[in-house]
């Protein structure tokens, strides 16, 4: 057994960071993605931490601990907007049978309609039998759905179509900066696109002019323990490119 993983689970040694997601038309913060980190050491990075949990069949425990910690931190900080929470499909099926059991929204005073459940698209998640049915239950319960690591033209697009997500996250690294393919995917799936991996002013300026709705990345703000505001260079750039609120209300 992994003694370090045991200690993390027993003593709740996970940390939550928040990274803002920005509405490009207005330059305002639309919501936050909650990111988990382990304690300093070999299991600090999320990939290492979750890989260790899968190795020792303790993924559901870690997944639950991370979500409980996220909701507690978000409530304590009065996080505004939507809260994006990563969910591992394998952990979901191991533990939960009803949509209302997935998160302690009542106990944490966090309404379901402010939570976006984010599923990775690194594998064909439709292989998990009744996964699509469960996702539909989650949507009926009020949760929003997002697909992460979506690559235009990939085989996982069938899963995206079947899930009918509200949001699709597309990495600028994966698209090679081709915003047209991201916009085409949005039209095809009827979902809002969130461009992630925004690291430069040039990327942000191009996105603001592309028609993509939302953006996330370290140029806007790196993840922090307290819900961060936008970095000054990003805020100024978005003020220059944002559509005036009066124009938005008139359309």
């Amino acid at each position: 057994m992994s003694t370090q993983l045991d200690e993390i689970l027993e003593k709740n040694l996970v940390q939550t960071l928040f990274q803002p997601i920005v509405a490009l038309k207005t330059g305002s913060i639309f919501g936050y993605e909650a990111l988990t980190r382990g304690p300093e050491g070999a299991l600090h990075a999320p990939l290492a931490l979750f890989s260790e949990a899968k190795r020792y069949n303790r993924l559901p425990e870690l997944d639950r601990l991370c979500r409980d910690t996220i909701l507690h931190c978000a409530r304590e900080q009065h996080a505004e907007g939507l809260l994006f929470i990563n969910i591992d499909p394998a952990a979901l099926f191991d533990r939960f049978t009803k949509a209302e059991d997935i998160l302690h929204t009542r106990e944490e005073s966090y309404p379901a309609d402010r939570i976006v459940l984010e599923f990775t698209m690194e594998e064909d998640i439709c292989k998990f039998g009744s996964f699509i049915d469960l996702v539909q239950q989650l949507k009926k319960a009020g949760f929003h759905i997002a697909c992460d690591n979506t690559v235009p033209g990939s085989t996982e697009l069938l899963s995206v179509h079947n899930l009918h997500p509200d949001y699709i996250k597309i990495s600028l690294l994966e698209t090679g900066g081709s915003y047209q393919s991201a916009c085409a995917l949005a039209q095809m799936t009827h979902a809002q696109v969130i461009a992630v991996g925004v690291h430069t002013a040039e990327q942000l300026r191009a996105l603001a002019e592309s028609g993509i709705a939302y953006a996330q990345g370290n140029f806007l703000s790196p993840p922090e323990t307290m819900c961060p505001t936008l970095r000054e260079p990003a805020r100024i750039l978005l003020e220059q490119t944002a559509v005036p609120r009066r124009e938005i209300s008139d359309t």
Side-chain angles (χ1 to χ4, degrees):
M1 295 293 290
S2 171
T3 55
Q4 187 175 3
L5 181 62
D6 286 341
E7 185 178 18
I8 290 171
L9 293 173
E10 291 171 6
K11 298 182 180 180
N12 298 348
L13 300 180
V14 295
Q15 182 183 38
T16 297
L17 305 179
F18 295 95
Q19 186 170 39
I21 298 170
V22 176
L24 292 171
K25 280 188 176 180
T26 63
S28 60
I29 292 178
F30 172 72
Y32 290 92
E33 180 180 0
L35 304 165
T36 294
R37 299 291 185 268
E40 291 298 326
L43 300 184
H44 176 70
L47 180 59
L49 178 60
F50 279 83
S51 295
E52 188 80 348
K54 289 180 180 179
R55 178 183 177 189
Y56 290 100
N57 298 316
R58 305 195 71 179
L59 180 61
E61 296 174 70
L62 177 61
D63 214 54
R64 168 62 81 184
L65 172 61
C66 292
R67 290 199 298 274
D68 288 347
T69 304
I70 286 168
L71 288 173
H72 175 75
C73 292
R75 182 188 61 179
E76 290 291 308
Q77 295 190 41
H78 305 286
E80 298 182 358
L82 295 179
L83 179 64
F84 286 68
I85 301 177
N86 293 282
I87 302 289
D88 190 301
L92 187 69
F93 270 98
D94 189 277
R95 181 66 61 89
F96 305 105
T97 57
K98 295 187 297 184
E100 56 267 28
D101 292 337
I102 190 170
L103 292 169
H104 298 309
T105 52
R106 290 184 179 179
E107 290 85 342
E108 293 290 346
S109 301
Y110 224 96
D113 61 4
R114 287 189 58 201
I115 294 176
V116 183
L117 303 177
E118 191 171 316
F119 298 100
T120 182
M121 302 306 295
E122 290 180 346
E123 58 181 331
D124 184 7
I125 56 179
C126 287
K127 71 182 182 182
F128 289 100
S130 58
F131 183 75
I132 294 175
D133 292 336
L134 181 53
V135 168
Q136 296 310 312
Q137 291 180 37
L138 293 170
K139 294 180 74 171
K140 288 180 180 179
F143 296 102
H144 303 281
I145 302 298
C147 291
D148 193 12
N149 290 345
T150 309
V151 180
S154 68
T155 57
E156 287 81 10
L157 285 182
L158 176 60
S159 293
V160 176
H161 280 294
N162 290 333
L163 292 180
H164 302 290
D166 302 287
Y167 304 96
I168 295 174
K169 284 193 167 184
I170 296 180
S171 169
L172 296 186
L173 180 62
E174 295 289 349
T175 63
S178 175
Y179 309 120
Q180 291 80 5
S181 61
C183 291
L185 182 59
Q187 293 177 350
M188 183 170 56
T189 59
H190 305 288
Q192 297 281 4
V193 169
I194 302 172
V196 301
V198 182
H199 297 307
T200 67
E202 291 72 20
Q203 288 176 326
L204 183 58
R205 185 176 292 106
L207 283 170
E209 299 170 353
S210 70
I212 291 175
Y214 305 104
Q216 178 181 354
N218 286 352
F219 180 75
L220 292 157
S221 174
E224 297 180 9
T225 53
M226 303 295 291
C227 290
T229 57
L230 297 185
R231 295 176 63 248
E232 191 69 6
R235 185 187 64 78
I236 293 173
L237 190 156
L238 287 172
E239 284 182 353
Q240 295 170 349
T241 60
V243 177
R245 296 183 184 276
R246 180 176 61 256
E247 180 179 335
I248 293 173
S249 63
D250 291 342
T251 56

